[in-house]
Amino acid sequence: MSNQLEKEYIQMRDDLCRIGIIDIGSNSIRLVIYDTTLEGGYKIIKECKYSARLSEKITKDGRLERKDMNTIVPVLHQFKEICSAFEVDKIRAGATAAIRNAANSEEIITYLSEASEIHIEVISGHQEAYFGFLGVINAFDVQDGFVIDIGGGSTEITLFRGRRYQQSISFPFGAVNTNLMFSHGGNWNGDQVRKLQAYVIGRLVEHDWLNSGAGLPLYGLGGTLRSLGKLDQKMRDYSLPNSHGYTLSSETIDHFMETLPTIPYEKRKDLEGLSKSRGDIIVSGLIIFHTVYKYIGASEALISGEGLREGMLHDLLEPEQPVRESALEFSLNTIIRFDIRTSKRHLDHIFKLALSLFDAFGAEGDRDEQRMLIYVSIMLHRTGSNINHYQSKRHTRYWLMNSPIRGLTHRQLILGALIASYSTKSRKQKLSQTYKDILLASDEEWIHKLGTLVQLCIALDSTEIGIVSGLEARLHGNTLDLELQGAGELLIGLEDIENALKTFRNVWGLKVKLGFPSSG
């Protein structure tokens, strides 16, 4: 076992590829550096941003002037230096709406590529929509929905069904250029709002398929959506301030539409949760978003932390099959690969024990969700030991609450964290209290029940050498017969098992008859 672990550690850096993705957008230019695995998993190592507002630099005849592009070249040079310092193996750079829609697009791309010595590709509107879809679909376990990506100079809308891309459209308007066209320096009156709404609807009506998905969720990308999410979380004093997966209800979106345009720009830019650089363009972005949301008849909006850049990465790493069947499974495997210092075989073994125990109990509550929470908790229970082995549970809880686990709702993320970090002292605490704005009243009981079950199964293989090879659990009234299977004698970890079993019995209200494997 130790030799196997040693081999896994040695392989950890050898089979990683470090990739830099440069996104030359209409509002900002970003570099994100990822470590990637052979399986297509990735982890962000570095992110840099430069606010360029290219959409504002387009002349009346639709050109981008060379003098304005000269300010971009040093930025790209520095990005290249950063990639060199981080020993990046491959750079992929793409330019979106501002450059794509410029009358002299080809000339600008050639100039920037030669001057920066970085090959830059023009990302078409169709590609931009597709990459945004790839970012979203691999970050959520959802079958059907719409994606909206509101950039500085364009807005992409995509429809997907059965986790497959269906149709998309790229419109040449975004938060920056519509702010210039319709507002007065970031200030809005009712007439200006109505004019932008009419302008957006005038383009939406040209595409019949936008009316074919009423009641589907809308997944939002870009700074407008992230900013609205942060503003809403501040107002609600939301207990898990993560952007990814945060839900904006129809009522919330309507409330923003009623209030934000009426606040003068000078006051708006000081709103808590809103970055000063977005104070002027938040309203134009909101009007586009609200108009689309109402037009397609969306049920709710969810913010995605992954979009164009991750989509470019998925397309680069897995061009033939970039869509994962399960965002959660893909996410967990990636986290285990990067952040957990134990073998997947050991984690799978604990999960097998946990299912054998869990299946002894009758159906109560959402069994599929409970099994999934057991799985997530077991797979990630060791994350905190990366910080400190002796306080690993405390660190595991924090890590999971703030982790890049995809495919879970905020509620499920909290439940997974509380179950994975459960300790013998937890049964005396009301663990759901801090997150009562997110959790259900019934969740408290299941945190304790699943928490004790998971911790008992972890204790059964605390040595990580599989002495307990399996278990048989049978429930008779108030008594649980728990027969442990295995060829060897349990010597080490008995105290861990006894402590976990005591808490398990108390929480489940059971008598437990435990049979150990014999040495024979």
Side-chain angles (χ1 to χ4, degrees):
M1 185 62 141
S2 60
N3 286 343
Q4 175 63 27
L5 280 173
E6 202 175 317
K7 281 178 192 168
E8 286 176 17
Y9 292 154
I10 290 167
Q11 286 170 355
M12 279 201 72
R13 185 64 184 98
D14 291 351
D15 61 2
L16 292 181
C17 180
R18 192 161 279 183
I19 294 174
I21 300 284
I22 297 174
D23 167 14
I24 305 171
S26 306
N27 188 34
S28 59
I29 304 174
R30 287 176 196 261
L31 162 68
V32 184
I33 298 174
Y34 302 87
D35 268 352
T36 69
T37 69
L38 295 172
E39 300 76 33
Y42 56 88
K43 181 178 185 177
I44 294 177
I45 300 302
K46 181 75 177 169
E47 179 169 4
C48 306
K49 176 188 170 187
Y50 178 80
S51 188
R53 294 263 175 123
L54 290 180
S55 286
E56 292 180 353
K57 295 178 168 64
I58 294 176
T59 62
K60 282 189 170 63
D61 56 355
R63 291 172 59 83
L64 282 167
E65 298 298 347
R66 180 74 65 96
K67 63 179 171 57
D68 290 323
M69 292 303 97
N70 284 338
T71 62
I72 306 304
V73 174
V75 175
L76 294 174
H77 275 150
Q78 278 196 8
F79 279 175
K80 195 170 183 191
E81 283 176 37
I82 293 165
C83 286
S84 179
F86 275 80
E87 299 180 350
V88 164
D89 300 303
K90 197 182 294 182
I91 296 173
R92 184 179 197 183
T96 55
I99 292 177
R100 173 174 75 228
N101 296 330
N104 58 337
S105 171
E106 214 169 294
E107 173 198 327
I108 291 299
I109 282 293
T110 302
Y111 170 65
L112 287 178
S113 293
E114 287 174 358
S116 66
E117 298 179 325
I118 298 170
H119 171 68
I120 301 166
E121 56 188 293
V122 175
I123 294 175
S124 70
H126 172 79
Q127 279 180 306
E128 189 169 359
Y130 176 65
F131 292 153
F133 156 73
L134 288 183
V136 167
I137 205 68
N138 289 317
F140 289 90
D141 275 328
V142 60
Q143 291 298 312
D144 310 314
F146 284 98
V147 179
I148 185 168
D149 184 356
I150 303 171
S154 72
T155 295
E156 285 72 41
I157 306 171
T158 304
L159 172 67
F160 62 91
R161 298 269 189 188
R163 294 186 67 74
R164 294 293 177 263
Y165 172 92
Q166 295 285 304
Q167 280 181 294
S168 68
I169 183 69
S170 178
F171 295 110
F173 54 79
V176 176
N177 58 7
T178 56
N179 183 57
L180 281 171
M181 287 162 66
F182 291 93
S183 84
H184 186 69
N187 290 301
W188 294 79
N189 61 37
D191 191 44
Q192 290 165 321
V193 170
R194 284 187 290 276
K195 279 181 178 168
L196 177 50
Q197 287 171 326
Y199 174 75
V200 173
I201 288 173
R203 300 304 302 270
L204 297 178
V205 294
E206 297 167 359
H207 305 278
D208 292 346
W209 59 269
L210 290 171
N211 295 122
S212 68
L216 292 179
L218 176 62
Y219 291 82
L221 305 172
T224 295
L225 270 295
R226 283 195 304 274
S227 296
L228 293 175
K230 283 177 187 169
L231 282 170
D232 194 44
Q233 288 178 344
K234 286 284 183 190
M235 286 191 293
R236 292 176 187 277
D237 198 20
Y238 190 69
S239 61
L240 188 73
N242 297 359
S243 281
H244 181 80
Y246 186 67
T247 303
L248 293 168
S249 66
S250 297
E251 293 75 25
T252 298
I253 297 163
D254 287 341
H255 171 72
F256 277 131
M257 195 59 212
E258 287 159 16
T259 55
L260 277 183
T262 65
I263 303 171
Y265 166 57
E266 285 304 317
K267 282 189 178 177
R268 196 190 314 127
K269 68 182 183 182
D270 294 325
L271 285 176
E272 199 178 357
L274 187 63
S275 67
K276 283 187 167 44
S277 64
R278 197 160 285 275
D280 56 342
I281 60 172
I282 185 67
V283 174
S284 48
L286 168 63
I287 296 168
I288 294 168
F289 169 59
H290 182 264
T291 308
V292 171
Y293 184 87
K294 291 292 181 189
Y295 186 84
I296 65 174
S299 57
E300 60 183 3
L302 291 97
I303 297 166
S304 175
E306 305 199 356
L308 174 73
R309 290 177 293 280
E310 287 73 24
M312 288 171 71
L313 186 66
H314 286 299
D315 179 67
L316 184 67
L317 295 173
E318 302 276 348
E320 300 304 316
Q321 285 186 306
V323 177
R324 308 289 169 168
E325 288 310 308
S326 166
L328 178 60
E329 195 65 37
F330 173 57
S331 181
L332 290 178
N333 286 337
T334 301
I335 292 167
I336 290 165
R337 171 68 179 77
F338 279 115
D339 296 302
I340 296 181
R341 304 291 183 261
T342 191
S343 73
K344 177 73 161 53
R345 188 166 61 250
H346 163 60
L347 299 172
D348 286 337
H349 181 57
I350 299 171
F351 181 58
K352 186 186 86 169
L353 298 177
L355 277 191
S356 298
L357 179 52
F358 180 68
D359 288 343
F361 297 98
E364 189 187 339
D366 185 339
R367 297 287 282 184
D368 288 340
E369 182 180 66
Q370 289 160 8
R371 281 192 189 89
M372 181 270 287
L373 289 170
I374 290 170
Y375 181 65
V376 170
S377 305
I378 286 170
M379 292 299 131
L380 302 182
H381 79 276
R382 286 282 293 269
T383 46
S385 59
N386 286 339
I387 300 169
N388 186 322
H389 176 78
Y390 294 106
Q391 281 96 41
S392 67
K393 286 187 177 176
R394 183 206 313 168
H395 298 306
T396 290
R397 180 179 301 193
Y398 175 82
W399 195 95
L400 264 67
M401 295 276 191
N402 298 277
S403 69
I405 307 173
R406 301 310 189 214
L408 297 181
T409 65
H410 281 196
R411 174 180 154 271
Q412 291 167 343
L413 193 62
I414 293 164
L415 290 173
L418 294 173
I419 292 163
S421 62
Y422 200 89
S423 70
T424 51
K425 295 171 190 168
S426 298
R427 70 186 179 87
K428 295 174 182 172
Q429 301 164 352
K430 196 165 191 322
L431 295 169
S432 62
Q433 193 60 34
T434 310
Y435 305 99
K436 61 176 188 274
D437 58 325
I438 300 173
L439 298 180
L440 306 173
S442 58
D443 286 337
E444 177 73 20
E445 178 189 355
W446 285 106
I447 294 166
H448 292 286
K449 282 188 168 180
L450 300 183
T452 53
L453 185 146
V454 163
Q455 296 306 322
L456 174 57
C457 294
I458 290 168
L460 290 175
D461 196 29
S462 65
T463 58
E464 302 190 29
I465 57 174
I467 294 172
V468 176
S469 59
L471 62 82
E472 221 174 275
R474 288 181 302 276
L475 191 62
H476 308 286
N478 209 32
T479 302
L480 181 72
D481 287 335
L482 196 54
E483 198 66 39
L484 304 183
Q485 299 157 348
E489 188 179 0
L490 260 176
L491 300 171
I492 298 164
L494 280 175
E495 193 179 340
D496 292 337
I497 293 170
E498 287 299 335
N499 288 337
L501 194 56
K502 182 182 173 187
T503 317
F504 176 83
R505 279 198 308 259
N506 287 336
V507 165
W508 287 82
L510 294 170
K511 292 174 185 168
V512 180
K513 291 181 180 173
L514 185 63
F516 286 97
S518 66
S519 56

